[in-house]
Amino acid sequence: MYSGILSCVIFAARSLNRMQPNVVRTEVFEFDNRSMDRQNNMERAAQLIQEGKLVAFPTETVYGLGANALDPMAVAKIFALKERPSFDPLIIHIADLEDLKKLTSEIDERVYLLAENFWPGSLTLVLPKSNRVPDIVTSGLPTVGIRMPANEIARELIRKSGCPIAAPSANKFGRISPTKADHVKKQLPDVDCILDGGKTTVGIESTIIELIEKGFRILRNGIITKEDIESVLPFDETEKTESIVAPGMVKSHYSPVKKMMVADESFRMDIDKSKAGLISFSGKYETGFQKVIRVSETNDLKEYAVNMFEAMHTFEDDIEIDIIIAEPVAETGIGKAIMDRLRKAEYNWRKD
Ligand code: TXA
Ligand code: MG
């Protein structure tokens, strides 16, 4: 019953998008320190959010596709523009801790402990939702994902808009996440507005956790690792993280339109390197490739995370490249989050 209503709302939003294909002209505002119009641009973007429009904005992880989280019709437009299935819930972004109380029905002291240690930052907490959160945001779940982003443009937009902002990553469903405004333009040319805050500084999506009786469990790995969180809260070893699947956690995701493979050190497989682009980490296997993007000069996993999606976009857009090869890393610490993205990005292509 719930999903039927939701599908109707999203269908209506999609039809509306189709009926006005040329009416939408994206407003793009650049935000750098020299920008004289910063204040005006921010006010304009906040006005668009208040009017129920969609604004893509930078967070420190990836760009988000934002709408007023308390306006179901505005949220429906996110699902329609992204072509996202209605069963995949959205994260709500807040700028101040006060906002948390309005969106959740229960907050225990562990939430404040986590907020104190990791917010603003790339940690999303899945918490019991309050009645104020529309069902469309949470796909009908009794819980809601909330985070306070570290990016100042993001927090300023939330404050100016006067409402929490629901935002998934600003890409078509299943495709490569955006770490630059150009990546958003490429996939979502019909978005109402883009706030260009330059390249994001973390580069992969937030860590998502859920609190359970004995501690927490991880629903999505990110730059904030299990070990980081364990320094504040115990991890429940009896809960197998892998068996817990967040509703939107599908096997294929983050995927380029070109063939992609995570290839181990041997590189012995049957590929034509003259048409291949290598996303290189160690620098050891670069010989023979048509193009190489070295994601880190210093073997720093944080840099792999920062540069990974941009490298995938660059090769996706490069006509000389037919296949993208990514160098794997050990699945510990931040390496877990990197390998999660790479495995999902190559998933569709492994099957052929
Ligand atoms: O860093 C990020 O988290 C970025 C930026 C824009 O904040 N956002 C992001 O959103 O990655 P999205 O929609 O691409 O991924 C959010 C994931 C989805 O896969 C969804 O399944 C999960 O969060 N999620 C959201 N609410 C949830 C809930 N109540 N329970 C379990 N999983 C949830
Ligand atoms: Mg996403």
Side-chain angles (χ1 to χ4, degrees):
M1 150 81 170
Y2 162 75
S3 66
I5 298 171
L6 193 54
S7 303
C8 284
V9 175
I10 294 170
F11 178 77
R14 206 167 272 161
S15 308
L16 219 80
N17 277 354
R18 254 188 247 117
M19 275 156 56
Q20 357 172 285
N22 300 316
V23 178
V24 181
R25 181 173 296 151
T26 308
E27 295 182 54
V28 181
F29 301 130
E30 282 174 25
F31 280 80
D32 56 40
N33 292 333
R34 285 161 294 140
S35 171
M36 302 289 285
D37 294 330
R38 186 188 169 101
Q39 205 57 22
N40 287 345
N41 291 345
M42 190 53 87
E43 266 158 32
R44 172 74 184 137
Q47 184 196 351
L48 290 170
I49 291 281
Q50 286 159 10
E51 288 171 2
K53 303 251 168 66
L54 302 184
V55 175
F57 62 98
T59 80
E60 75 282 15
T61 58
V62 299
Y63 274 72
L65 177 63
N68 179 352
L70 306 178
D71 176 349
M73 260 326 274
V75 173
K77 290 182 192 164
I78 294 180
F79 283 89
L81 191 66
K82 251 190 90 99
E83 295 167 20
R84 179 174 174 120
S86 59
F87 59 75
D88 192 0
L90 306 179
I91 292 172
I92 297 187
H93 298 71
I94 59 173
D96 300 287
L97 217 47
E98 280 302 297
D99 302 339
L100 191 60
K101 292 191 193 129
K102 298 174 199 149
L103 302 172
T104 53
S105 60
E106 272 171 54
I107 312 177
D108 65 47
E109 68 218 25
R110 296 175 301 171
V111 175
Y112 290 111
L113 194 65
L114 290 166
E116 208 174 281
N117 281 275
F118 299 107
W119 281 359
S122 28
L123 180 69
T124 297
L125 303 177
V126 171
L127 301 167
K129 86 173 192 76
S130 76
N131 292 336
R132 293 184 66 177
V133 177
D135 282 337
I136 189 170
V137 172
T138 63
S139 302
L141 291 175
T143 54
V144 57
I146 302 179
R147 94 177 178 96
M148 187 191 291
N151 184 294
E152 281 176 16
I153 298 168
R155 291 205 309 280
E156 212 176 318
L157 177 69
I158 298 164
R159 288 204 184 103
K160 276 255 152 52
S161 302
C163 58
I165 294 188
S169 50
N171 50 279
K172 288 279 187 205
F173 181 71
R175 299 276 311 282
I176 314 172
S177 299
T179 56
K180 285 177 154 183
D182 280 349
H183 303 157
V184 180
K185 269 182 238 165
K186 179 170 98 173
Q187 292 192 34
L188 305 174
D190 291 336
V191 65
D192 299 302
C193 176
I194 301 175
L195 304 187
D196 182 350
K199 185 171 161 175
T200 63
T201 53
V202 169
I204 55 171
E205 300 83 350
S206 61
T207 307
I208 305 179
I209 66 166
E210 187 175 36
L211 295 176
I212 46 175
E213 206 186 331
K214 294 186 201 141
F216 68 96
R217 61 189 173 202
I218 295 177
L219 303 182
R220 179 173 70 188
N221 287 294
I223 209 89
I224 296 178
T225 61
K226 173 177 159 237
E227 292 73 25
D228 294 333
I229 304 168
E230 263 180 322
S231 67
V232 176
L233 268 190
F235 182 72
D236 186 356
E237 296 292 348
T238 61
E239 294 281 349
K240 269 200 95 208
T241 306
E242 285 73 20
S243 66
I244 312 298
V245 180
M249 298 292 154
V250 282
K251 286 185 174 157
S252 164
H253 213 123
Y254 317 110
S255 208
V257 292
K258 287 180 183 168
K259 187 166 180 147
M260 159 130 186
M261 288 175 99
V262 182
D264 68 10
E265 59 284 347
S266 64
F267 287 117
R268 253 184 257 117
M269 82 279 255
D270 194 17
I271 53 157
D272 179 357
K273 283 189 178 177
S274 71
K275 297 202 167 115
L278 175 70
I279 301 176
S280 166
F281 179 63
S282 66
K284 288 186 203 155
Y285 313 108
E286 298 179 351
T287 321
F289 282 91
Q290 170 62 242
K291 287 192 181 149
V292 174
I293 296 176
R294 181 85 183 268
V295 285
S296 172
E297 290 296 332
T298 53
N299 273 22
D300 180 348
L301 286 172
K302 279 193 178 166
E303 285 184 358
Y304 202 152
V306 171
N307 295 316
M308 176 178 63
F309 285 135
E310 185 185 18
M312 284 162 65
H313 277 289
T314 303
F315 285 145
E316 183 180 71
D317 298 341
D318 188 332
I319 52 164
E320 290 186 302
I321 299 300
D322 286 348
I323 174 166
I324 303 167
I325 306 289
E327 185 178 338
V329 292
E331 293 190 45
T332 52
I334 297 167
K336 261 193 189 159
I338 291 168
M339 288 306 291
D340 166 60
R341 300 331 185 258
L342 292 178
R343 292 270 177 239
K344 285 181 176 145
E346 70 161 357
Y347 183 78
N348 283 336
W349 305 109
R350 283 167 77 90
K351 288 188 297 192
D352 56 46

